[in-house]
Amino acid sequence: MSAITHPLKKYTRSHIHRTTTCPGCGIGIVSQALLRAMDELEMKMDDFVFVSGIGCSAWIPSPFYDADTLHTTHGRPIAFATGVKLGKPDQNVVVVSGDGDLSAIGGNHLIHAARKNIDLTVVLVNNGIYGMTGGQTAPTTPRGLQTITSPYGTFEHPFDIAPMVVAAGAPYVARWTTYHPRQLTRSIKFGLKKKGFAFIEAVSQCPVQYGRVSNIGKAVAFMEYYKANSVKIDKADKMTAEELQGKIIVGEFVNIEKAELSEQLSKLKYEMAEAI
Ligand SMILES: Cc1ncc(C[n+]2csc(CCOP(=O)(O)OP(=O)(O)O)c2C)c(N)n1
Ligand code: SF4
Ligand SMILES: [Mg+2]
């Protein structure tokens, strides 16, 4: 009897057999959505550069994906990815990292890359906490949650990341949860095909650190929670702020066309070389 091989296994490095993720973590669902999106688009790993920062979510591409991967410093993957895209404009450059990495220490890189509209696909895994470092409060942690750095409950108001990236100027922004793997895959496909800054927020469970301090429960309970509390953006538009309290608005927030940075710079470089 022949062994069954996972259809996405061909995209991972064959000599790496272990993952760093805890059982029940949402990271596996996000990773599959990304690989499935590439698979459905029949894109080749050789045409990709994956860039990540530091955190559990940053382990998604590196060292597992059989492509060029750049595992950078905390908060800086978008800065590295910008350099890669400008140096190699024909490559698909994808950033995968956590809410802390991309919206706390790396927050400025995120909004300015959206403003500049550089052709990157960014998948932000939002588990509402700093998972890898033990469960500290992040800019996404719900107000009132007691974590190891907010033992009296955090008094801070969280970022609503997807609308923030829309406001910064990104032409493609979507948000789904790990309860929505097919929709997440579809949005990542849109993002990969988009010429411009494409941002996909994946709300994802950290049953270990977030699970420890919230009363949601274990991994399956997170799925039920996401199912019960997600509201599609068109429906949310008709609801009041009170009705939306505690809800996760999901769907496509924006999908427009606008001039992209790396293309314009490549054109300028070509024209200047021609003129010499
Ligand atoms: C300059 C710097 N500051 C702080 C850290 C410690 N650190 C590493 S990962 C991380 C937070 C990760 O949180 P997130 O990006 O949400 O990833 P998760 O583990 O939740 O997926 C922190 C604070 C670091 N490595 N470098
Ligand atoms: S600590 Fe949380 S985010 Fe990190 S691998 Fe474990 S469950 Fe996932
Ligand atoms: Mg996190």
Side-chain angles (χ1 to χ4, degrees):
M1 201 172 71
S2 60
I4 298 171
T5 308
H6 193 287
L8 301 173
K9 178 98 181 76
K10 59 186 178 222
Y11 298 116
T12 62
R13 291 184 175 132
S14 55
H15 62 284
I16 297 173
H17 302 291
R18 286 175 160 205
T19 72
T20 49
T21 43
C22 311
C25 180
I27 279 174
I29 297 173
V30 181
S31 183
Q32 284 215 40
L34 173 54
L35 292 176
R36 216 174 284 282
M38 294 167 44
D39 191 58
E40 288 177 13
L41 290 170
E42 297 182 3
M43 295 171 96
K44 292 193 185 64
M45 275 300 204
D46 284 351
D47 298 333
F48 278 88
V49 180
F50 292 94
V51 189
S52 56
I54 301 293
C56 296
S57 314
W59 290 106
I60 287 179
S62 163
F64 303 103
Y65 288 7
D66 194 11
D68 285 329
T69 56
L70 200 53
H71 207 143
T72 72
T73 50
H74 190 38
R76 303 292 175 254
I78 288 180
F80 279 87
T82 298
V84 172
K85 187 69 196 179
L86 294 180
K88 291 208 160 270
D90 294 335
Q91 289 294 99
N92 300 300
V93 184
V94 178
V95 173
V96 189
S97 228
D99 50 316
D101 192 68
L102 291 172
S103 80
I105 187 170
N108 246 14
H109 295 296
L110 175 64
I111 56 172
H112 287 284
R115 173 183 67 79
K116 294 172 190 171
N117 192 27
I118 182 155
D119 186 26
L120 304 177
T121 304
V122 177
V123 178
L124 181 150
V125 183
N126 183 359
N127 53 22
I129 208 156
Y130 292 170
M132 196 184 80
T133 41
Q136 296 87 350
T137 292
T140 46
T141 303
R143 196 156 180 267
L145 196 74
Q146 285 178 300
T147 74
I148 54 166
T149 49
S150 56
Y152 303 102
T154 178
F155 297 105
E156 298 173 13
H157 299 272
F159 270 152
D160 191 2
I161 304 182
M164 182 175 83
V165 179
V166 175
Y172 186 81
V173 176
R175 173 163 61 202
W176 298 103
T177 77
T178 46
Y179 177 72
H180 306 93
R182 285 177 198 277
Q183 295 91 329
L184 185 60
T185 301
R186 199 181 58 218
S187 285
I188 296 173
K189 278 167 79 175
F190 272 117
L192 292 174
K193 295 311 281 177
K194 188 82 185 175
K195 188 77 195 161
F197 191 82
F199 180 81
I200 299 102
E201 180 181 346
V203 177
S204 171
Q205 73 275 18
C206 167
V208 173
Q209 303 298 357
Y210 196 97
R212 189 163 53 88
V213 295
S214 76
N215 55 11
I216 295 179
K218 298 205 166 139
V220 175
F222 271 91
M223 292 282 127
E224 286 163 351
Y225 179 85
Y226 292 154
K227 182 183 178 189
N229 290 290
S230 295
V231 179
K232 279 289 299 294
I233 189 162
D234 43 345
K235 194 172 169 203
D237 284 343
K238 300 180 193 83
M239 292 168 69
T240 63
E242 287 75 36
E243 286 170 330
L244 286 171
Q245 202 63 16
K247 300 290 182 207
I248 306 163
I249 301 175
V250 294
E252 209 172 68
F253 285 65
V254 70
N255 188 0
I256 57 168
E257 300 303 322
K258 65 196 284 191
E260 190 275 328
L261 183 70
S262 68
E263 200 167 57
Q264 293 172 81
L265 291 178
S266 293
K267 192 165 164 269
L268 177 68
K269 212 159 94 180
Y270 178 78
E271 284 167 359
M272 287 174 85
E274 285 284 287
I276 294 169

